[in-house]
Amino acid sequence: MFLIIGYLVILAASVGTYAVHGSLGALWVPMEYLAIVGLMIGGFVAGNGPKAIKATMGALPSVFKGSPYTKAMYMDLLGLLYEILAKVRKEGLMSIENDVDNPDSSPIFSKYPTVTANHHAVEFLTDYLRMMVGGNLNAFEIEGLMDKEIDTHHQEAHIAPHVMAKTGDALPAFGIVVAVMGVVNVMGSVGQPPAVLGKMIGGALVGTFLGILLSYGFVQPIAGQLEQRVEESGKVFECIKLVLLASMNGYAPQVAVEFGRKVLYSTERPTFSELEQDIKSRKG
């Protein structure tokens, strides 16, 4: 929603203010638009492999949706972690084996749809719970492995914002290319009347205008949105990591989930009382 609002403000501030003292028809040069879009798509395809292209195309729709990483989602995540650890403390690690192996049919996981919608988080959680059930690794070893997996996730997740940022960086240069092509065309028509030449020069400059506007007004904001979404997604893994490690080090479930709560951003972090009340209401 905010991306769309931003786009409208950008168009109003650029094209809208120009329309006050100029003719919008002068900006309508279809071949310039076609050239810019073609160069952008060509650069995008030529500069990236199938994996990067697929990751970018898959990530783009998310910028037009609200962030799933809300306070309610983190309340659910901490509630899920508490319930799992409480069951382990009461009935032993083997009691969660079925929940871990089949989270889709687990009565515990099914209570928290906002968490199960994030299959990466569910996979991360169940993988390490499975290792805890196996009992073959200590907390230090699991922490090292968690850090490596989180780093790998971040590297993969940063592909899309990196690709969009690079595409945005190239657009002003593509605008210059289109403008130079237009100037070359003008130089081949020097015998035309001044009015005709002026229109042709104006059309050539539209290429530069488009390149800069599309770069900083449209593509770079998408890259920024994707980057922010990546940083938000990382908090889920950090939260799970700290809660599980606290549990492995012997802390009670109530204390373990507090480790995870403290790592969250202040804008989404529930207070101690809010989390306590939420857990009590679920138990009741």
Side-chain angles (χ1 to χ4, degrees), residues 197-226:
L197 290 176
K199 184 177 181 180
M200 294 176 68
I201 293 172
L205 292 176
V206 169
T208 304
F209 160 75
L210 284 175
I212 296 173
L213 180 64
L214 288 175
S215 173
Y216 298 109
F218 290 86
V219 178
Q220 291 290 1
I222 291 177
Q225 289 267 8
L226 291 174

Side-chain angles (χ1 to χ4, degrees), residues 218-235:
F218 290 86
V219 178
Q220 291 290 1
I222 291 177
Q225 289 267 8
L226 291 174
E227 181 71 25
Q228 292 170 28
R229 195 62 56 88
V230 169
E231 296 304 319
E232 286 182 317
S233 69
K235 281 299 172 185

Side-chain angles (χ1 to χ4, degrees), residues 39-159:
L39 287 167
M40 179 179 67
I41 295 174
F44 171 74
V45 173
N48 301 286
K51 178 181 177 181
I53 293 174
K54 182 179 179 181
T56 304
M57 297 307 294
L60 284 177
S62 67
V63 302
F64 298 100
K65 304 175 183 177
S67 173
Y69 306 106
T70 61
K71 185 175 182 178
M73 190 279 291
Y74 284 117
M75 291 275 277
D76 279 355
L77 176 62
L78 293 169
L80 169 63
L81 290 167
Y82 173 83
E83 190 166 347
I84 290 173
L85 296 180
K87 185 176 181 179
V88 168
R89 195 173 185 84
K90 183 178 180 181
E91 303 175 25
L93 276 169
M94 295 305 295
S95 65
I96 62 168
E97 188 173 11
N98 289 332
D99 299 298
V100 170
D101 290 337
N102 301 289
D104 292 336
S105 58
S106 166
I108 295 179
F109 279 86
S110 61
K111 296 179 185 178
Y112 306 93
T114 59
V115 179
T116 54
N118 187 335
H119 69 277
H120 291 298
V122 172
E123 183 179 11
F124 184 84
L125 173 59
T126 54
D127 281 349
Y128 289 101
L129 286 173
R130 193 175 293 111
M131 291 183 185
M132 290 170 63
V133 171
N136 296 322
L137 295 175
N138 59 41
F140 179 77
E141 291 171 325
I142 287 186
E143 182 178 9
L145 186 57
M146 284 179 169
D147 288 338
K148 290 294 184 182
E149 184 171 352
I150 291 173
D151 286 343
T152 299
H153 167 78
H154 283 351
Q155 289 172 9
E156 289 183 332
H158 274 96
I159 289 175

